[in-house]
Structures are given as C-alpha cells and as structure tokens.
C-alpha cells in the first residue's frame, strides 16, 4: 500500500465524519434555511458545529494527495467564478422570492436583529456543504469515471438525503430547492473547475430564503 493510498483512505475517513456531522446539524440548530421565529440553539452550540465542520474540511484538504485536481477544493478560474457566482446568486434571489410568494402570498422580512446569525449560518454552511458535496463527493465520482451528468445527479441526491430535505414534516418545496441547488451548483463546479461559484450561490440562496 502506497503513501498516497493511505492518505486517500484517511481523507475518506474525514469525509465520512463530515457526513455524520452534517446529518446531526439539526441537533446543533445549524445548517438549515433559517426560519424567523424558529427556536435556535445557543450561539456557542452553533459555533461549535461550524468550527468542527471547517476543521474537517481543512483536514480533508491537507491529507488528500490531490485536493485541487480531484476534489475541486479550490476557488476555480477567477473570471468564471465571478460570472457564474453572480448568475447563481441571482437565481437564488429569484427562487427565494418565488417560493415566498407561493407559500405566503407576499415577501416576509425578518427582524433586523436576526440578520447577523442568519448571515453566519448561510456563509459557514455554504463553505462546508460545497466543500463536502460539490468538492469531495462530486470530485471523487468524476475521478472514478462516472459521466459528468451522472456524477452531478448522484452528488445532488446525496445532498438531498444527508440534509434530510425530504424528511417527514418538511415542506415539499424545500426538496425541490435542495435538489435544484445540488444540480446547478454541481454544474457550476465542473464548469469553473472549483467550488467558488457554488459557495457564492449557496450563501446568497440560503440567506435569501431566510
């Protein structure tokens, strides 16, 4: 067994722990599309989830022998990232407005005091989720030979399952939003060669839904 193989196996272990952490996000009161008025966990509890998730992403990046070429753990081509990021952000704003109009008949704006926590949640969750699903998972699927379209679909379905978007009690619109995000962000990742645009789109879409 070569040193590179050992590093890949260790990185796979970090990825699995990251998936377990993502499954338990609800217990920490994090990583969901923020809903004004929903009871939240304490700040330190939520902060611990963000820090553990980012630490696991960093460990994955350091240990894997090819984090750029295989796992897409880089920003991507700068001009493409800015263009695709702007497009994804605009789509995120539009779908949030459409969803609010369909569900409530008007746009709801939460109290200003809730904005800092929602912004932190949106940005931190975007970094962790995109590194995990559009980076490590999608990159591995492409590396083992799956066609791009199939790899994007499998990664998107994995995202829906791990984030429990189809769980009982969740609004069906959330399932469509999560699946759509997974597909579009996966496409943007392959098109730009990194997860920078997907992070921008994810953070804006999540904050817009809040």
């Amino acid at each position: 067994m070569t040193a590179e193989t050992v590093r890949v196996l260790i990185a796979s272990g970090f990825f699995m722990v990251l998936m377990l952490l993502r499954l338990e996000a609800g217990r920490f009161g994090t990583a969901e599309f923020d809903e004004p008025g929903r009871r939240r966990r304490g700040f330190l509890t939520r902060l611990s989830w963000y820090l553990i998730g980012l630490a696991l992403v960093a460990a994955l990046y350091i240990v894997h022998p090819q984090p750029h070429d295989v796992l897409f753990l880089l920003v991507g081509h700068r001009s493409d990232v800015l263009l695709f990021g702007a497009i994804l952000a605009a789509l995120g704003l539009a779908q949030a407005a459409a969803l609010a109009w369909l569900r409530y008949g008007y746009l709801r704006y939460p109290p200003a005091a809730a904005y800092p926590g929602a912004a932190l949640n949106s940005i931190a969750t975007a970094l962790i989720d995109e590194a995990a699903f559009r980076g490590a998972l999608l990159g591995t699927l492409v590396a083992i030979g799956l066609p791009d379209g199939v790899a994007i679909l499998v990664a998107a379905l994995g995202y829906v399952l791990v984030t429990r978007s189809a769980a009982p009690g969740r609004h069906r619109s959330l399932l469509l939003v999560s699946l759509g995000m997974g597909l579009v962000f996966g496409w943007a990742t392959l098109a730009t060669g990194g997860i920078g645009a997907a992070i921008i789109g994810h953070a804006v879409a999540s904050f817009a839904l809040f």
Side-chain angles (χ1 to χ4, degrees):
M1 185 178 294
T2 65
E4 183 170 309
T5 300
V6 172
R7 292 179 65 180
V8 170
L9 291 174
I10 295 174
S12 298
F14 284 128
F15 175 76
M16 295 305 298
V17 175
L18 185 58
M19 291 295 98
L20 292 174
L21 181 73
R22 190 60 178 85
L23 280 168
E24 296 298 321
R27 294 180 181 272
F28 292 81
T30 60
E32 305 295 339
F33 297 119
D34 223 320
E35 181 71 14
R38 181 167 63 88
R39 186 176 180 180
R40 301 296 302 277
R41 299 283 185 179
F43 175 73
L44 291 180
T45 300
R46 288 180 282 128
L47 181 62
S48 67
W49 189 91
Y50 304 138
L51 293 177
I52 294 170
L54 292 173
L56 288 170
V57 170
L60 188 61
Y61 180 89
I62 293 170
V63 171
H64 196 280
Q66 295 179 292
H68 292 173
D69 296 337
V70 174
L71 302 187
F72 298 123
L73 294 182
L74 71 167
V75 173
H77 307 297
R78 182 176 179 182
S79 58
D80 290 339
V81 167
L82 294 176
L83 174 61
F84 280 77
I87 293 173
L88 295 180
L91 289 175
L93 292 170
Q95 60 88 24
L99 183 60
W101 191 264
L102 289 173
R103 288 184 63 178
Y104 309 112
Y106 63 97
L107 300 181
R108 303 194 309 166
Y109 295 95
Y115 279 61
L120 173 62
N121 187 61
S122 299
I123 295 170
T125 301
L127 286 168
I128 294 169
D129 280 0
E130 296 312 312
F133 294 98
R134 260 63 68 179
L137 180 56
L138 178 59
T140 299
L141 293 173
V142 172
I144 64 176
L146 285 184
D148 289 354
V150 176
I152 290 172
L153 177 59
V154 172
L157 292 175
Y159 176 69
V160 169
L161 292 173
V162 173
T163 57
R164 298 177 176 173
S165 299
R170 308 296 291 275
H171 198 280
R172 292 308 173 202
S173 59
L174 182 59
L175 171 61
L176 296 177
V177 168
S178 297
L179 181 59
M181 287 173 59
L183 294 173
V184 174
F185 296 162
W187 164 74
T189 296
L190 296 186
T192 61
I195 58 175
I199 290 173
I200 295 172
H202 191 143
V204 172
S206 181
F207 189 75
L209 284 169
F210 155 76

